[in-house]
Amino acid sequence: MRKKIVAGNWKMNKNLEEGHQLTSEVVNMVKDEVTSAVQVVLCTPFIHLNSISKLLAGSKNVMLGAQNCSEHASGAYTGETSVSMLKSVGTQFVIIGHSERREYFGETDALFAKKVDAVLAAGMTPIYCCGEKLEVREANNHIKLVTAQVSEALFHLSAEALQKVVIAYEPVWAIGTGKTASSAQAQEMHAEIRAHLAGKYGKNVAEEITIQYGGSVKPDNAVEIFAQPDVDGGLIGGASLKSRDFVDIVKAMK
Ligand code: PGA
């Protein structure tokens, strides 16, 4: 049985006090209300990781994630954060390949392959994001593009390493736009990604990989999207900034 994981991506939001408050609310609501085995991850800004880690210490199923990392181990890379730094403050997950890193910071699949290696070598879990822009979908090239993003960043891994990766399918046209993919569109792409993994690693390995959906997931659309057989959780942006909405989304993952 593959793991169900709902992760909040706070992006560049919340000062420290606001971040602490949001974390405490989420931890308490999850403790009181979530009965399923779903794992919850809070991907906070780097600067909050150390102190939020302490707030999560007593919580079994709320874990800590970062939104990016350097591909380098250490050295003269001003402004960068290494995987060993992240690990040393209790980080367990790292988002790699988010469309905003691709779009605004020029990051590429070749770079993501190195970052995925760094995260795995540090014993953390990469959440590797893939997804097409609207014009790619309109030209009917979305499956080709997304499966290529998956092969370029992940197919150098051994089967054993791949099984430690979480994939997040996030159609770029659905991120922060209020337009979500239909549950059928999400299921179609998730099944294509899984088939692509099976083609390289075999069906048994592909069946073990958690594939999250991301892009304008809200409490009122989460139930239908999460009910799809190949959707194993969500990567939640805007709605993760409100504890009530986020925990309602977590509860939609059965
Ligand atoms: P959104 O963001 O939920 O605000 O659309 C999702 C993401 O970028 O991970």
Side-chain angles (χ1 to χ4, degrees):
M1 267 290 282
R2 46 188 183 257
K3 282 188 196 134
K4 313 283 188 198
I5 305 174
V6 176
N9 174 11
W10 293 4
K11 308 192 180 183
M12 198 173 72
N13 293 294
K14 304 287 179 191
N15 65 26
L16 185 61
E17 197 186 328
E18 293 162 347
H20 281 189
Q21 188 179 341
L22 176 57
T23 302
S24 301
E25 287 170 9
V26 168
V27 165
N28 287 330
M29 287 181 190
V30 166
K31 178 160 62 67
D32 294 343
E33 302 174 26
V34 176
T35 49
S36 67
V38 62
Q39 288 186 354
V40 180
V41 185
L42 302 181
C43 299
T44 82
F46 284 140
I47 195 165
H48 303 344
L49 288 166
N50 186 36
S51 60
I52 289 183
S53 170
K54 297 179 180 108
L55 298 181
L56 299 182
S59 176
K60 273 199 306 296
N61 48 351
V62 186
M63 312 203 187
L64 189 64
Q67 300 170 18
N68 182 28
C69 67
S70 173
E71 73 277 26
H72 301 292
S74 64
Y77 300 102
T78 300
E80 290 289 273
T81 303
S82 73
V83 289
S84 64
M85 293 170 188
L86 295 176
K87 176 91 177 175
S88 72
V89 298
T91 307
Q92 292 148 297
F93 290 78
V94 184
I95 298 173
I96 300 291
H98 193 278
S99 66
E100 288 147 20
R101 301 298 314 175
R102 297 174 189 265
E103 180 77 13
Y104 307 137
F105 302 94
E107 296 192 1
T108 61
D109 289 330
L111 177 63
F112 300 141
K114 293 185 190 159
K115 293 190 176 194
V116 165
D117 288 345
V119 172
L120 288 171
M124 298 183 290
T125 303
I127 299 177
Y128 174 64
C129 304
C130 51
E132 80 287 356
K133 291 186 179 172
L134 187 58
E135 62 264 27
V136 175
R137 180 166 280 269
E138 283 172 349
N140 204 27
N141 285 328
H142 47 295
I143 292 168
K144 197 164 154 236
L145 179 112
V146 169
T147 52
Q149 288 174 334
V150 168
S151 353
E152 280 165 35
L154 301 180
F155 275 17
H156 64 290
L157 297 173
S158 67
E160 197 194 343
L162 182 87
Q163 286 180 83
K164 298 184 176 132
V165 175
V166 171
I167 296 175
Y169 168 58
E170 300 204 298
V172 179
W173 47 271
I175 294 178
T177 58
K179 261 189 234 156
T180 179
S182 68
S183 52
Q185 286 171 320
Q187 170 56 27
E188 178 194 36
M189 185 63 86
H190 283 228
E192 290 287 348
I193 293 170
R194 204 177 302 285
H196 189 60
L197 296 172
K200 164 89 176 168
Y201 294 96
K203 195 165 185 304
N204 290 348
V205 171
E207 283 298 323
E208 290 302 310
I209 309 293
T210 298
I211 308 179
Q212 301 175 315
Y213 171 80
S216 297
V217 178
K218 305 279 182 259
D220 61 1
N221 59 28
V223 172
E224 194 186 330
I225 294 172
F226 290 172
Q228 302 306 308
D230 284 291
V231 176
D232 311 311
L235 183 55
I236 318 301
S240 74
L241 300 174
K242 291 195 186 123
S243 53
R244 182 71 274 157
D245 285 358
F246 182 61
V247 176
D248 282 344
I249 292 170
V250 170
K251 286 158 73 181
M253 185 75 251
K254 301 291 181 215

